[in-house]
Each structure stands twice: as C-alpha cells, then as structure tokens.
Amino acid sequence: MRRVTILGLFVLVALTWGTTWLAMRIAVETIPPIFATGMRFMFAAPFLISIAYLRKTPILFPPGQRLFQLGITVFYFTIPFALMIYGEIYVSSGLASIIFANMPLAVLIASVLFLNMKTNIVQVAGLTMAIVALAGILYEETNANINAGSHWQGIIALILAVIIHAIVYAQCKKRCCDVSVITFNALPCFLAALILSTLGWLFESPQISNFSECSVLATIYLGAFAGVFGILCYFALQQKASAFQASLVFLIFPLIAVSLESYIYGYAISAHSMLLVIPLASGIFIALASKTFSLGGRRLDSSS
C-alpha cells in the first residue's frame, strides 16, 4: 500500500510540475509577466492561509527568523517566479522545464559553497556531464531560434531563477529554518502577490480587457492548483519516500512538458537536443544517487 501511495504521489507531482510550464506560456500570451505572477500568487494565497487557519498553523516564522521570512518573500517568491514567467516569453515551455530540471545540481553546488558539503568524484562526474549536456542543448536551441538575442534573455532569466532558488535552499538549511510547508508558503505568497501585482500595475499597465479566458484560467491553475496542490503533494511524497526517490521527479516532469508542448503547439526541441537530454538526465541521476541530499526539504515546490 505504501508503494502505491508513493507511486500515486510521484505521478501527481510529475503531472502538476510538467503542466505548470505550459500554463505559464499560456498565461503570458495576453497577460504581462509580472502582473501574471502576482495574479498567480493572489489565487494561491487565500487557499494557503485558509489551510493554515483550519490546521491552526502559524503563518509567521519563529521569532528571530521573521526578517528571513521577508527575504524569502523577495528572493524565493517575488524575483525567481517573475523571472521564470518572463523567461517563457522568449523560451519554449519544454526548454524552460529542462533548464529548471537542473535544480538538484544547483542545490548541490549551493550546498558545497554555503554549507561546506563534501562531494565525491562520482558526484563531480555527474555534475560535469549534466552541465556539458545542458550547455549543448542551450546552444542547439539558440541556433535554431531566429531571435537568438531574445532567446538568450529568456535562458538567462530562467538560469537566474534556478540559482536564486538554490541559494535560498542552502540558506534555509544553514539557518535551520525548519517550518511547516504551509508556514513557509502562506504569508510570503500573499506578500509577493501584493508586491508583484502593484509593480505590474504600475510598470506594465495591463489592459484587463485584453486578457484572454485561456490566460486567466492558466493563472488560476498556476495559483490555486499547481501552487497549492503541487506543494502539498510534493511535501507528502517527501514524507513517504526517500529524498532520492522524491528527487527523481526532476527527471520526469520535463518529458511531460516537452510532450505537451509538442502535442498542443506542434513544437518540440530539436532531435539533437532530445539526444542530449539523455546525458543530462544521466548526469543528474548520478549526482543524486552518489550521495542523497535534501532538495530544500518541505520547502521545495518548483516550478512551478
């Protein structure tokens, strides 16, 4: 029964994260990226705060960690998620998901730099293999794109989002910031919604009459479903499975994202890039399998 539960949670998380990237692409078709991200969090926050109220879970971090909670609002929610959806203006959802699948490697590097975590030769080999493969994919996809300059803008935005998230994970572990998944997400999500919605309204001047039904539904999906259900499912998966088993979802959700984009939009990454996905996934697998480490514990919600 436990194995069935783990498998079910794994599939749910992979499907949720895999569809998140397509939803972001649909959202920015008619909604400016910063305002869309604010809407996303505005849809998620009431659910998270309601769950906190019903479960009598505090929404504030413990005393001494509340300034850090503000930092999480800015550097975990506000900036990286805005960068993610901005990146999807210029980068396909499939490629965006492949870039973000490297989160385990970014966390590994951040742990080495900020936590003095020891590595072994196998981890380094896996890390090197994955980075070289990712560089090859980015080079291949950029050459195939007629707007190479804009394409790199999107790639850099997504890579920055991964790096910032990884640093936050390392800082959470360094500060022993062990709060519930609801506490970690509820209030920062609401504050980020206010910040991004305000900035988007002031600087992007969104025309609500131009928002398509599909874009609005996509932001609702990102907030109310992926932003809440995805968090809770991944947290439950981490409680029932090993850290290594839970981390394998990073190898699966990009395949779902690429397949969906190909089916719906008729666009897929090149055949050469698909071949490079094999050493990329192998490198990530080797790095994770050689020494299991936590990818942010109960705080990880990706994607997404």
Side-chain angles (χ1 to χ4, degrees):
M1 186 62 184
R2 183 171 177 272
R3 290 182 178 179
V4 173
T5 302
I6 291 173
L7 179 60
L9 288 169
F10 187 93
V11 171
L12 285 173
V13 173
L15 287 173
T16 302
W17 289 4
T19 53
T20 291
W21 300 98
L22 182 63
M24 283 194 282
R25 172 174 176 173
I26 294 171
V28 294
E29 286 179 351
T30 61
I31 305 176
I34 295 176
F35 193 75
T37 310
M39 287 178 60
R40 170 185 185 169
F41 289 142
M42 196 63 77
F43 288 129
F47 288 97
L48 293 168
I49 292 173
S50 297
I51 293 171
Y53 175 77
L54 293 172
R55 296 181 60 181
K56 295 180 171 56
T57 302
I59 63 171
L60 288 174
F61 279 29
Q65 295 279 8
R66 289 171 185 172
L67 185 59
F68 183 55
Q69 186 177 23
L70 182 60
I72 286 171
T73 298
V74 176
F75 295 105
Y76 180 88
F77 288 92
T78 305
I79 296 176
F81 279 89
L83 287 171
M84 274 187 260
I85 203 165
Y86 173 80
E88 285 230 41
I89 296 176
Y90 306 106
V91 172
S92 69
S93 57
L95 181 58
S97 69
I98 289 173
I99 293 172
F100 219 81
N102 288 269
M103 177 63 73
L105 302 183
V107 173
L108 172 60
I109 294 170
S111 298
V112 172
L113 294 176
F114 296 101
L115 305 176
N116 296 318
M117 191 187 84
K118 295 182 179 179
T119 58
N120 55 51
I121 188 65
V122 178
Q123 273 186 321
V124 173
L127 181 65
T128 304
M129 182 189 302
I131 290 175
V132 170
L134 178 62
I137 292 171
L138 298 181
Y139 178 79
E140 179 71 25
E141 292 304 300
T142 301
N143 281 348
N145 194 292
I146 57 174
N147 297 313
S150 298
H151 199 247
W152 273 112
Q153 276 185 283
I155 289 172
I156 292 171
L158 287 158
I159 291 175
L160 282 174
V162 172
I163 292 172
I164 295 170
H165 266 168
I167 292 173
V168 171
Y169 295 150
Q171 290 301 317
C172 285
K173 191 169 183 179
K174 185 176 182 179
R175 293 168 180 266
C176 300
C177 183
D178 189 19
V179 297
S180 76
V181 63
I182 300 300
T183 301
F184 188 89
N185 286 273
L187 185 57
C189 183
F190 175 68
L191 295 176
L194 294 179
I195 294 169
L196 289 165
S197 297
T198 302
L199 291 175
W201 189 264
L202 292 175
F203 295 103
E204 293 178 325
S205 301
Q207 301 297 315
I208 296 177
S209 59
N210 294 334
F211 294 0
S212 71
E213 182 179 343
C214 288
S215 291
V216 173
L217 289 174
T219 59
I220 294 173
Y221 174 82
L222 288 168
F225 186 79
V228 178
F229 185 73
I231 291 171
L232 298 179
C233 282
Y234 190 73
F235 172 64
L237 177 63
Q238 287 185 311
Q239 297 301 299
K240 296 183 179 297
S242 68
F244 172 68
Q245 289 173 324
S247 299
L248 292 179
V249 75
F250 284 88
L251 304 181
I252 304 300
F253 78 78
L255 301 178
I256 296 173
V258 170
S259 299
L260 278 174
E261 185 173 50
S262 176
Y263 178 76
I264 295 175
Y265 288 97
Y267 172 82
I269 61 175
S270 69
H272 288 153
S273 294
M274 285 300 296
L275 288 175
L276 287 170
V277 168
I278 297 173
L280 174 65
S282 300
I284 295 173
F285 182 85
I286 291 169
L288 291 177
S290 60
K291 183 178 180 180
T292 301
F293 59 97
S294 173
L295 296 179
R298 62 189 64 186
R299 294 173 290 277
L300 187 59
D301 61 80
S302 175
S303 111
S304 341

